[in-house]
Amino acid sequence: MSPDHHRKFTESTLVVASHNPGKVREIAELLEPFGIAVRSAAELGLAEPVETGASFAANAELKARSAAQAGLPALADDSGLVVAALGGEPGIHSARWAGAEKNFGKAMQRIEDALKDQARRGNTDRRAHFACVLALAWPDGHVESFGGVVRGKLVWPPRGDKGFGYDPMFVADGHDVTFGEMEPKAKHKISHRANAFRKMVDACFRA
Ligand code: IMP
């Protein structure tokens, strides 16, 4: 679809439908050039819906729609790591693999164990991609969604402490360092979230 078919964002305030302060800050920074005031779902006291969707898009839309019911347009993001040899897991369960204690060291070890298991069966495919869907919802129920990916491979042991989540074991195609070793500015130029964001800005935020 050409950008002209998308609904334009003309309001002055946008709710970021996330209770993660890091995500809210990152999105607020990305929206700064457009002069849009950003409020967070936590700040507005909005409840976090249960992510019952079967895809990144379904979960992003569910979170955005739920927040927009409070009367302001809302932006939500759903993302994760998709591992080819594991049939796409952890995928939409990426946060869940780290457990209640959000232990990503453990989650990365679990992926490595599963990959070693595959390798013993002759499947040495270590390709993976990060995926992100951004959903922008209006109070009348209209939603615009945009997806982004960054492709690469998984390495072991994990390296670097600059990122978060699965960053220390992910090396993007054309690079040698992991996302954990990369400067945040460099990661934000090529990341799944940046790619989805660019599409959204082109479609909805430019005149
Ligand atoms: P969500 O907050 O439900 O969308 O969960 C996203 C999960 O995917 C996070 O908890 C991370 O584990 C993982 N994830 C998403 N984006 C990234 C990234 O850029 N680097 C590392 N891990 C990520």
Side-chain angles (χ1 to χ4, degrees), residues 20 23 51 63 77-81 91-92 94-95 98 104 130-131 164-167 179 187 191-193:
N20 177 336
K23 252 189 205 175
E51 295 183 24
K63 287 188 271 190
D77 132 321
D78 200 58
S79 52
L81 178 70
I92 60 167
S94 293
F104 282 95
F130 277 118
F164 70 98
Y166 298 93
D167 281 344
F179 265 9
K187 178 188 164 187
S191 79
H192 46 317
R193 198 164 292 108

Side-chain angles (χ1 to χ4, degrees), residues 12-104:
S12 56
T13 305
L14 179 61
V15 176
V16 178
S18 170
H19 288 249
N20 177 336
K23 252 189 205 175
V24 175
R25 194 178 335 108
E26 199 174 305
I27 290 171
E29 282 167 12
L30 288 163
L31 287 172
E32 213 163 71
F34 302 94
I36 297 160
V38 169
R39 315 277 305 270
S40 79
E43 197 185 318
L44 297 173
L46 304 179
E48 267 186 295
V50 183
E51 295 183 24
T52 51
S55 64
F56 294 114
N59 282 329
E61 288 177 16
L62 179 151
K63 287 188 271 190
R65 272 213 179 88
S66 162
Q69 277 172 7
L72 289 168
L75 176 65
D77 132 321
D78 200 58
S79 52
L81 178 70
V82 179
V83 183
L86 306 185
E89 287 292 309
I92 60 167
H93 307 116
S94 293
R96 236 167 288 171
W97 273 40
E101 70 277 22
K102 301 193 175 167
N103 183 341
F104 282 95

Side-chain angles (χ1 to χ4, degrees), residues 148-202:
V149 300
V150 56
R151 297 185 188 282
K153 63 167 192 239
L154 299 176
V155 296
W156 199 257
R159 307 191 314 251
D161 56 11
K162 290 191 167 76
F164 70 98
Y166 298 93
D167 281 344
M169 75 181 298
F170 182 82
V171 175
D173 287 347
H175 294 260
D176 300 313
V177 294
T178 68
F179 265 9
E181 294 171 311
M182 212 179 246
E183 291 304 328
K185 266 196 174 161
K187 178 188 164 187
H188 292 154
K189 277 190 189 138
I190 61 167
S191 79
H192 46 317
R193 198 164 292 108
N195 289 335
F197 208 86
R198 263 191 289 274
K199 288 186 196 167
M200 180 181 76
V201 163
D202 285 345

Side-chain angles (χ1 to χ4, degrees), residues 81-90 97 111-129 152-154:
L81 178 70
V82 179
V83 183
L86 306 185
E89 287 292 309
W97 273 40
I111 288 178
E112 182 59 19
D113 290 348
L115 286 177
K116 289 228 167 74
D117 204 47
Q118 287 295 324
R120 277 192 288 272
R121 297 158 202 235
N123 181 3
T124 55
D125 185 359
R126 295 189 66 93
R127 284 174 305 152
H129 66 266
K153 63 167 192 239
L154 299 176

